[in-house]
Amino acid sequence: MGPQINTPNARVSPTIGVRIDRRVQVIGLFLIGGCVLASGNAMTHIKPARSALTRFTYTEYHMGVDARLVVYARDKTVAEGACAAAFERIAELDTMMSDYRPTSELMRLCDRAGGQAVKVSPELFKVLAFGQRVSRKSGGMFDVTVGPLVLLWRKARKSGVLPPQREIKRARALVGWRKIRLDQGAGTVRLLVPGMKLDLGGIAKGYADDEAQIVLKKHGISRALVEMGGDIVVSDPPPGTTGWTIRVPNAGSPDIQLSNRAISTSGDTEQFVVIGGVRYSHVINPLTGQALTNRVEGTVVAANGLTSDPLSKLPSLLGRKALARLRKAYPTAKWYVRVLGAK
């Protein structure tokens, strides 16, 4: 990612971009500009020298994180129109896939767990179908049915008290990727066990980044970066560059250049709880029901966010041999793995 994403509380140097988060940085030349509020959005704009395009950055809160759009457009009107439409698409997907909204399409599906098959939107079906493929290839270590366990550990992060083993055992009985039935022809989903809860936190934001890029392109924006949490999708490079330069701490060379690709990072840098001196990640092993403590961080570069988002969760969940097999199943993806805190 060539130019940096402007982060409200970050420190900006004259020559180095600011952090996206503590795992992936966007590096570039900070030329001029500032951060103002426009129509409820955080917005900056920078006009590179010798370029007919101006850089604009907008931020809105969606899917529990700041969603940032960095676009190159011929003028502010084009940029604002395109980004407003992209944010609208992200918001639309959030109403489908949120596990926080009781009226979301996802939660309405969960309310009918144990019953008949339910007709769902093409978007929700696509995400669930892709999630099932990743589950199959990872031996069930990526699993969107992990919702009951997520709820237990979410409560633990708030209370500072570990979930009782009996509750983990009860939740585990509701978890398992084979408990979902998809009918592609009918566009239906059936959850086999009453009480099942789906959680798309490991896949939906990457897909939303993809969809935002599609909207931007429809509005004439071909040079853009979309970022939500640890998930980034980029299109064509910024003017005068060969790619968006992204700093990945666990890469052999810290700066990599990307265009028309996605990159996702997962680890316990941001979401964790320390209980009894042990650091528990927000990533949960669906087979054991336990939050991870291994402090493994994974970064994956892939063709799209729908792929990079779920794959980035798996380096911390799989052993070395299983991860090697998974890499062979996704030969075009690039993987970067490190253990946080290791010397």
Side-chain angles (χ1 to χ4, degrees):
M1 306 182 169
Q4 83 289 339
I5 291 180
N6 187 279
T7 305
N9 296 321
R11 180 170 56 86
V12 181
S13 105
T15 57
I16 302 295
V18 301
R19 280 187 180 277
I20 288 179
D21 57 30
R22 295 174 187 168
R23 295 160 293 180
V24 179
Q25 283 184 314
V26 177
I27 307 300
L29 182 65
F30 189 85
L31 299 174
I32 189 172
C35 185
V36 300
L37 293 177
S39 302
N41 303 337
M43 182 275 286
T44 67
H45 66 276
I46 295 174
K47 188 168 185 177
R50 305 184 189 90
S51 173
L53 298 177
T54 301
R55 194 198 76 171
F56 298 86
T57 302
Y58 299 90
T59 302
E60 284 190 1
Y61 191 78
H62 294 283
M63 292 187 169
V65 298
D66 282 338
R68 296 181 179 89
L69 308 180
V70 180
V71 303
Y72 283 86
R74 65 177 183 269
D75 57 46
K76 182 178 178 181
T77 300
V78 172
E80 287 190 347
C83 290
F87 282 131
E88 184 176 351
R89 179 56 172 159
I90 293 171
E92 180 184 23
L93 293 172
D94 195 20
T95 65
M96 297 178 190
M97 302 182 190
S98 172
D99 68 311
Y100 284 93
R101 300 170 182 256
T103 59
S104 72
E105 184 182 7
L106 183 73
M107 289 297 97
R108 295 198 306 271
L109 171 62
C110 294
D111 289 342
R112 298 174 66 177
Q116 298 299 311
V118 178
K119 179 78 171 180
V120 300
S121 64
E123 293 93 336
L124 181 55
F125 191 93
K126 180 178 181 177
V127 170
L128 291 175
F130 193 87
Q132 288 294 89
R133 289 198 291 273
V134 177
S135 294
R136 189 176 301 109
K137 292 179 179 180
S138 66
M141 295 304 280
F142 179 83
D143 190 344
V144 299
T145 72
V146 77
L149 292 167
V150 170
L151 291 175
L152 287 181
W153 285 98
R154 195 177 286 167
K155 180 180 177 181
R157 290 204 303 273
K158 292 180 179 179
S159 67
V161 179
L162 290 175
Q165 286 302 310
R166 65 181 182 278
E167 292 187 17
I168 291 178
K169 183 178 180 180
R170 188 180 303 119
R172 282 178 58 199
L174 302 174
V175 175
W177 68 276
R178 291 186 174 88
K179 295 180 172 69
I180 301 180
R181 294 289 183 271
L182 303 179
D183 185 328
Q184 185 170 0
T188 60
V189 180
R190 185 185 175 202
L191 307 183
L192 301 184
V193 181
M196 288 179 66
K197 297 291 182 185
L198 306 185
D199 186 299
L200 301 181
I203 191 170
K205 284 188 279 292
Y207 176 64
D209 284 354
D210 293 337
E211 289 294 298
Q213 284 283 13
I214 291 173
V215 171
L216 291 173
K217 287 177 181 178
K218 288 180 179 178
H219 284 75
I221 303 293
S222 63
R223 302 176 187 272
L225 174 150
V226 181
E227 182 266 332
M228 295 178 66
D231 303 298
I232 301 169
V233 177
V234 297
S235 54
D236 291 344
T241 73
T242 59
W244 299 83
T245 303
I246 302 177
R247 174 154 293 175
V248 181
N250 44 330
S253 174
D255 293 349
I256 61 176
Q257 288 199 328
L258 297 177
S259 62
N260 297 297
R261 300 287 282 176
I263 181 168
S264 297
T265 297
S266 179
D268 70 353
T269 304
E270 300 293 334
Q271 298 188 59
F272 65 91
V273 63
V274 177
I275 302 176
V278 179
R279 184 183 179 114
Y280 294 91
S281 170
H282 71 293
V283 180
I284 300 167
N285 185 320
L287 304 184
T288 66
Q290 297 297 321
L292 300 186
T293 59
N294 58 11
R295 303 224 62 204
V296 173
E297 177 182 87
T299 296
V300 174
V301 178
N304 52 57
L306 182 62
T307 303
S308 64
D309 192 359
L311 293 189
S312 70
K313 312 301 182 290
L314 291 167
S316 61
L317 286 161
L318 295 174
R320 185 172 299 177
K321 291 183 179 179
L323 184 58
R325 289 193 296 270
L326 185 69
R327 288 185 176 190
K328 290 181 180 179
Y330 294 92
T332 62
K334 292 185 178 180
W335 306 69
Y336 306 94
V337 182
R338 67 170 178 165
V339 178
L340 297 172
K343 295 181 180 180

